[in-house]
Amino acid sequence: MNSSLRKFVFHDLQTIEGYIDPPDALVFLSLLQTQKQAGLEGPIAEIGVFYGRSYFLFKRIGGDAEKIVAIDLFDIGQTADGISPQYGRFLENGRRLGIPIEEDLIIRGDSTRLAAADITEKAGKVRFFSIDGGHALSDVVSDSRLAMHSLADHGIIAFDDTFNPAWPEVTVGVADFLREHADSFAAFCMTKYKTYVCRRDFHDLYYNAIADASDLNAFEQTETTFLDSRVIRLHNPIGRRMLYELMIRTGMGAYSERVYR
């Protein structure tokens, strides 16, 4: 990872309100770079934009030409006349960072009411699909089905908040998805917040990409099994997390990336 991208991940990205933290940002980077090196093409899609932290990470990794279909209700603070402060802040974050937003690829609406064609007709079959939408079981079932039918053969699905005790139905939904489609899909990586899934034909490629990624050397790696699939679990020790958060909150963000070297 070059110094410019490292600065973006550990400094610029943290100026956007959101939930993706450095470990998962580095997993995103490692997987997207692996796809690029292997010639595995396609757009990116995400459900749950919030204020754009992951969106701008995708853009920064892929460049201005990267197609990203971003889906969100954008209804936080929405006024009676339909004005969305959330969407305005999202656009403003793009202007501040100097990262263009393709508004024709933004879908302002309920992901559970979409069909795969709503995504693929805009951009094509998806190579990386991030799901961080509604956390009820019905939402996870619907969003996982949408992702599956939008996905390229080599595509990856990243499920957020799996195993988070605050959102138990997410865990149920992801497990149900993997059991129902056990002949074709398997998990290959887990972090504190996310579970990464792909078709079985590409499991070893992505598993090894995580195992061999130099940008992930700072994390403890443990091999485990989840629903009969070999999975790498990345552990970010609490001491490192606390030190990183302390540096961010005390104005030392410019040096915080050293915690993950």
Side-chain angles (χ1 to χ4, degrees), residues 96-109:
R96 178 174 55 82
L97 294 169
I99 298 177
I101 295 171
E102 291 184 75
E103 290 194 68
D104 60 326
L105 295 181
I106 306 298
I107 299 176
R108 299 175 65 177

Side-chain angles (χ1 to χ4, degrees), residues 56-92:
F56 296 117
L57 174 64
F58 288 136
K59 272 287 189 182
R60 186 63 180 77
I61 294 171
D64 291 347
E66 187 75 76
K67 286 188 174 183
I68 304 172
V69 179
I71 305 160
D72 199 295
L73 291 170
F74 289 107
D75 61 349
I76 297 174
Q78 185 167 297
T79 61
D81 55 3
I83 296 175
S84 170
Q86 179 193 0
Y87 191 66
R89 281 182 59 185
F90 170 56
L91 296 178
E92 175 56 32

Side-chain angles (χ1 to χ4, degrees), residues 2 7 24 32 74 88-89 103 108 121 125 133 155 162 170 194 207 228 230 237 243 246 256:
N2 62 44
K7 174 182 177 296
D24 281 300
L32 291 168
F74 289 107
R89 281 182 59 185
E103 290 194 68
R108 299 175 65 177
E121 289 178 2
K125 288 283 190 177
T162 45
V170 174
K194 296 183 186 291
Y207 180 99
D228 296 324
R230 192 169 56 124
L243 178 58
L246 178 64
S256 62

Side-chain angles (χ1 to χ4, degrees), residues 54-192:
S54 56
Y55 178 92
F56 296 117
L57 174 64
F58 288 136
K59 272 287 189 182
R60 186 63 180 77
I61 294 171
D64 291 347
E66 187 75 76
K67 286 188 174 183
I68 304 172
V69 179
I71 305 160
D72 199 295
L73 291 170
F74 289 107
D75 61 349
I76 297 174
Q78 185 167 297
T79 61
D81 55 3
I83 296 175
S84 170
Q86 179 193 0
Y87 191 66
R89 281 182 59 185
F90 170 56
L91 296 178
E92 175 56 32
N93 282 333
R95 287 190 290 269
R96 178 174 55 82
L97 294 169
I99 298 177
I101 295 171
E102 291 184 75
E103 290 194 68
D104 60 326
L105 295 181
I106 306 298
I107 299 176
R108 299 175 65 177
D110 185 345
S111 62
T112 66
R113 298 184 179 182
L114 297 179
D118 295 318
I119 296 172
T120 58
E121 289 178 2
K122 282 181 175 289
K125 288 283 190 177
V126 175
R127 68 179 169 115
F128 193 103
F129 203 124
S130 173
I131 298 179
D132 187 12
H135 285 37
L137 178 58
S138 58
D139 296 321
V140 179
V141 170
S142 179
D143 288 346
S144 60
R145 184 184 302 118
L146 178 64
M148 178 178 67
H149 291 302
S150 306
L151 212 63
D153 290 343
H154 53 269
I156 294 166
I157 305 175
F159 289 98
D160 189 59
D161 276 326
T162 45
F163 306 106
N164 184 338
W167 304 106
E169 291 189 10
V170 174
T171 306
V172 175
V174 173
D176 284 351
F177 173 80
L178 289 171
R179 283 195 294 261
E180 183 178 352
H181 303 285
D183 59 333
S184 52
F185 282 89
F188 64 88
C189 177
M190 292 178 179
T191 64
K192 178 177 173 63

